[in-house]
Amino acid sequence: MNQPQGILILDFGGQYTQLIARRVRECGVYSSVLPYAADMEAIRQEHPLGIILSGGPASVLDSNAPTICPGVFEMGVPVLGICYGMQLMAHLHGALIERGQQREYGRTLVSMDDMESELLQGMKATNTCWMSHTWQVTKLPSGFKTIAHTPNCPIAAMSNPFRRLYGVQFHPEVTHSEEGMKLLQNFLFNICHASADWTMEAYAERTIDQIREQVGDGTVLLGLSGGVDSAVAAALLYRAIGSRLTCVYVDHGFMRSAESDEVVNIFTKTFPVELKAVDASERFFTALQGVTEPEQKRKIIGREFVDVFKEVSLSLGKRDHFAQGTIYPDVIESGSIKGSAVIKSHHNVGGLPAELGFTSLIEPLRMLFKDEVRQLGLKLGLPKSLVYRQPFPGPGLAIRVIGELTREKVQIVRDSDRILRQEIEAAGIKASQYFTVLTGAKSVGVMGDERTYAYAVAIRAVTTDDFMTADVVRLPWETIDRISARIIGEVSGCNRVLYDVTTKPPASIEWE
């Protein structure tokens, strides 16, 4: 799929790389990400208006420090280095990099020394910015000048306006940098002369045209998972080719309350595609009998899903093209981009597109981040209940049951999760993700006049910007009390409710 011209981010392993890309898109400018090891051919193929070098955990003085081809600086496009990216830019131009006398982490007051700089125009003379560094530039490269400093970092930003090379030691992409978006906008519009033409309306129109061109008079098969990504992909494909789209929905038995019914209803009424819905829950529960190790659960569920999908696909007869809801973070992390490392395999059906003889693979969301997928879903007419559905792992409730899976245990999680969602939504509490977990622990209780020995259910509710770190939501005690009372009173098999108050890190968001 052809992409618009925009900003290229070269990733040095920084935790905020994808956040930089999202911030650029929030300014209405398309962004893409390549690993730092990408060769010049791959970089030129992006046709960037400008390049951003991300932060990263390494030191540029390490013998195996990540680096880039110096040709990046000779392409004639503006380059902005952030944190490690600034240090690398300076190092490759002969600057001195040293360990700072005092490390800077967190909110830091930065003095903007050159308010005439194109990068700093319109910003306040003193800004609170987010720092995270041990090493720093202590002597400028030839042709550069200092445009910002802090008491502990004499070169907090630098520029070479003649060559349009810029560097900032702080992180403008995080919300803690009060005028970070202003700095990024200055780079995009004052320096790169980008146009703010990246919109969901334009993306939808362009993608629908491209789908029609790729499919021609053919047919498409898509696997619905019940999640947001595949649903939005299906809605987009339906807008493009109508009844020539066939969807397969495999219910593995680990969906949340009423979700399978909602998926079937949407794609038989709102988007009336040819839908083959299969209840394969018995097969999955049988395959998982006696399995307690989390990763083994995931692998078995993935394997069974592929097998069921393959069987159903073959029974439907030949379809010309295969589609799936791959989104941009999946592309970045899967090694699909030339030069990138494989972090995870994101294709739900593995090598099935080739095995089943499809002409081509269609991934209409592969240029979008999750928040953009949601925007597109609303514009296509999907209900908010699906578009803003709580994040949900592919194996579903199976990884929210600690230990061996049984229908009884999954039902406890399903029922308690439904109550949790109802109460949090009724209370108007904002949270990034919330769910219940069957802990696997049993405890003694008294219900009525009888002694019980039943499971403990844990509540998890977190808030986060990027899901890389997460804080605990401080639920009001009245809400916790109501949730606990309802779970104990309405959910058979549990007699105790716990509240998980652990942040990420040290814990992960999910329990398994």
Side-chain angles (χ1 to χ4, degrees), residues 161-178:
F162 178 74
R163 295 183 61 196
R164 296 193 294 172
L165 303 180
Y166 303 84
V168 292
Q169 185 59 64
F170 50 88
H171 288 272
E173 70 275 17
V174 303
T175 55
H176 306 299
S177 292
E178 60 177 326

Side-chain angles (χ1 to χ4, degrees), residues 404-433:
E404 183 180 2
L405 290 163
T406 66
R407 287 186 179 273
E408 175 197 12
K409 290 179 179 179
V410 172
Q411 194 61 43
I412 291 172
V413 178
R414 183 176 290 121
D415 291 341
S416 60
D417 182 81
R418 171 180 49 81
I419 291 169
L420 175 68
R421 286 186 286 137
Q422 288 174 349
E423 292 297 335
I424 287 186
E425 290 165 10
I429 295 168
K430 301 298 182 184
S432 304
Q433 189 170 1

Side-chain angles (χ1 to χ4, degrees), residues 26 54 102 178 218 236 239:
E26 286 171 13
S54 83
Q102 182 176 327
E178 60 177 326
L236 190 59
R239 292 283 191 235

Side-chain angles (χ1 to χ4, degrees), residues 123-140:
M123 296 177 66
K124 296 185 297 186
T126 303
N127 250 277
T128 299
C129 300
W130 187 260
M131 287 282 196
S132 181
H133 70 102
T134 299
W135 299 85
Q136 61 191 35
V137 180
T138 56
K139 182 180 179 182
L140 285 170

